PDB file of all heavy atoms in Angstrom:
ATOM      1  N   ILE A 158      27.779  65.405   2.469  1.00  0.00           N
ATOM      2  CA  ILE A 158      27.250  64.329   1.631  1.00  0.00           C
ATOM      3  C   ILE A 158      27.552  62.986   2.286  1.00  0.00           C
ATOM      4  O   ILE A 158      28.698  62.686   2.616  1.00  0.00           O
ATOM      5  CB  ILE A 158      27.859  64.365   0.218  1.00  0.00           C
ATOM      6  CG1 ILE A 158      27.573  65.705  -0.461  1.00  0.00           C
ATOM      7  CG2 ILE A 158      27.327  63.208  -0.621  1.00  0.00           C
ATOM      8  CD1 ILE A 158      26.111  65.975  -0.718  1.00  0.00           C
ATOM      9  N   VAL A 159      26.521  62.200   2.492  1.00  0.00           N
ATOM     10  CA  VAL A 159      26.667  60.837   3.000  1.00  0.00           C
ATOM     11  C   VAL A 159      25.957  59.926   2.016  1.00  0.00           C
ATOM     12  O   VAL A 159      24.761  60.091   1.751  1.00  0.00           O
ATOM     13  CB  VAL A 159      26.046  60.686   4.406  1.00  0.00           C
ATOM     14  CG1 VAL A 159      26.086  59.227   4.854  1.00  0.00           C
ATOM     15  CG2 VAL A 159      26.767  61.570   5.419  1.00  0.00           C
ATOM     16  N   THR A 160      26.669  58.986   1.438  1.00  0.00           N
ATOM     17  CA  THR A 160      26.048  58.066   0.489  1.00  0.00           C
ATOM     18  C   THR A 160      25.210  57.032   1.229  1.00  0.00           C
ATOM     19  O   THR A 160      25.361  56.830   2.438  1.00  0.00           O
ATOM     20  CB  THR A 160      27.104  57.335  -0.348  1.00  0.00           C
ATOM     21  OG1 THR A 160      27.857  56.464   0.506  1.00  0.00           O
ATOM     22  CG2 THR A 160      28.047  58.332  -1.031  1.00  0.00           C
ATOM     23  N   ALA A 161      24.340  56.368   0.489  1.00  0.00           N
ATOM     24  CA  ALA A 161      23.524  55.318   1.091  1.00  0.00           C
ATOM     25  C   ALA A 161      24.402  54.207   1.660  1.00  0.00           C
ATOM     26  O   ALA A 161      24.074  53.602   2.685  1.00  0.00           O
ATOM     27  CB  ALA A 161      22.557  54.758   0.049  1.00  0.00           C
ATOM     28  N   GLU A 162      25.536  53.940   1.005  1.00  0.00           N
ATOM     29  CA  GLU A 162      26.453  52.906   1.485  1.00  0.00           C
ATOM     30  C   GLU A 162      27.147  53.342   2.778  1.00  0.00           C
ATOM     31  O   GLU A 162      27.379  52.533   3.671  1.00  0.00           O
ATOM     32  CB  GLU A 162      27.504  52.584   0.425  1.00  0.00           C
ATOM     33  CG  GLU A 162      26.973  51.874  -0.812  1.00  0.00           C
ATOM     34  CD  GLU A 162      26.153  52.792  -1.715  1.00  0.00           C
ATOM     35  OE1 GLU A 162      26.382  54.034  -1.667  1.00  0.00           O
ATOM     36  OE2 GLU A 162      25.302  52.278  -2.452  1.00  0.00           O
ATOM     37  N   GLU A 163      27.486  54.618   2.888  1.00  0.00           N
ATOM     38  CA  GLU A 163      28.183  55.128   4.067  1.00  0.00           C
ATOM     39  C   GLU A 163      27.257  55.272   5.271  1.00  0.00           C
ATOM     40  O   GLU A 163      27.708  55.190   6.418  1.00  0.00           O
ATOM     41  CB  GLU A 163      28.817  56.487   3.754  1.00  0.00           C
ATOM     42  CG  GLU A 163      29.960  56.432   2.748  1.00  0.00           C
ATOM     43  CD  GLU A 163      30.373  57.803   2.270  1.00  0.00           C
ATOM     44  OE1 GLU A 163      29.541  58.743   2.316  1.00  0.00           O
ATOM     45  OE2 GLU A 163      31.539  57.943   1.832  1.00  0.00           O
ATOM     46  N   ALA A 164      25.984  55.483   5.036  1.00  0.00           N
ATOM     47  CA  ALA A 164      25.040  55.694   6.134  1.00  0.00           C
ATOM     48  C   ALA A 164      24.833  54.408   6.922  1.00  0.00           C
ATOM     49  O   ALA A 164      24.740  53.322   6.349  1.00  0.00           O
ATOM     50  CB  ALA A 164      23.709  56.189   5.584  1.00  0.00           C
ATOM     51  N   ALA A 165      24.753  54.547   8.240  1.00  0.00           N
ATOM     52  CA  ALA A 165      24.412  53.387   9.071  1.00  0.00           C
ATOM     53  C   ALA A 165      23.004  52.917   8.747  1.00  0.00           C
ATOM     54  O   ALA A 165      22.725  51.726   8.686  1.00  0.00           O
ATOM     55  CB  ALA A 165      24.529  53.737  10.550  1.00  0.00           C
ATOM     56  N   PHE A 166      22.098  53.871   8.534  1.00  0.00           N
ATOM     57  CA  PHE A 166      20.776  53.559   8.015  1.00  0.00           C
ATOM     58  C   PHE A 166      20.166  54.812   7.417  1.00  0.00           C
ATOM     59  O   PHE A 166      20.712  55.915   7.543  1.00  0.00           O
ATOM     60  CB  PHE A 166      19.858  52.913   9.067  1.00  0.00           C
ATOM     61  CG  PHE A 166      19.626  53.719  10.314  1.00  0.00           C
ATOM     62  CD1 PHE A 166      18.559  54.599  10.411  1.00  0.00           C
ATOM     63  CD2 PHE A 166      20.449  53.561  11.417  1.00  0.00           C
ATOM     64  CE1 PHE A 166      18.328  55.319  11.568  1.00  0.00           C
ATOM     65  CE2 PHE A 166      20.227  54.277  12.578  1.00  0.00           C
ATOM     66  CZ  PHE A 166      19.164  55.165  12.658  1.00  0.00           C
ATOM     67  N   ILE A 167      19.035  54.629   6.742  1.00  0.00           N
ATOM     68  CA  ILE A 167      18.410  55.703   5.974  1.00  0.00           C
ATOM     69  C   ILE A 167      16.986  55.913   6.470  1.00  0.00           C
ATOM     70  O   ILE A 167      16.228  54.946   6.653  1.00  0.00           O
ATOM     71  CB  ILE A 167      18.388  55.357   4.473  1.00  0.00           C
ATOM     72  CG1 ILE A 167      19.815  55.084   3.975  1.00  0.00           C
ATOM     73  CG2 ILE A 167      17.741  56.482   3.664  1.00  0.00           C
ATOM     74  CD1 ILE A 167      19.851  54.371   2.634  1.00  0.00           C
ATOM     75  N   ILE A 168      16.639  57.171   6.692  1.00  0.00           N
ATOM     76  CA  ILE A 168      15.283  57.540   7.089  1.00  0.00           C
ATOM     77  C   ILE A 168      14.581  58.150   5.880  1.00  0.00           C
ATOM     78  O   ILE A 168      15.053  59.135   5.322  1.00  0.00           O
ATOM     79  CB  ILE A 168      15.304  58.568   8.237  1.00  0.00           C
ATOM     80  CG1 ILE A 168      15.957  57.993   9.486  1.00  0.00           C
ATOM     81  CG2 ILE A 168      13.893  59.041   8.548  1.00  0.00           C
ATOM     82  CD1 ILE A 168      16.186  59.033  10.566  1.00  0.00           C
ATOM     83  N   HIS A 169      13.456  57.570   5.480  1.00  0.00           N
ATOM     84  CA  HIS A 169      12.651  58.146   4.402  1.00  0.00           C
ATOM     85  C   HIS A 169      11.470  58.879   5.026  1.00  0.00           C
ATOM     86  O   HIS A 169      10.596  58.247   5.649  1.00  0.00           O
ATOM     87  CB  HIS A 169      12.147  57.047   3.466  1.00  0.00           C
ATOM     88  CG  HIS A 169      13.235  56.285   2.777  1.00  0.00           C
ATOM     89  ND1 HIS A 169      13.867  56.750   1.636  1.00  0.00           N
ATOM     90  CD2 HIS A 169      13.816  55.088   3.071  1.00  0.00           C
ATOM     91  CE1 HIS A 169      14.781  55.877   1.247  1.00  0.00           C
ATOM     92  NE2 HIS A 169      14.769  54.856   2.103  1.00  0.00           N
TER      93      HIS A 169
END
Side-chain angles (χ1 to χ4, degrees):
I158 301 296
V159 174
T160 67
E162 291 73 25
E163 293 169 335
F166 58 91
I167 303 164
I168 298 171
H169 298 278

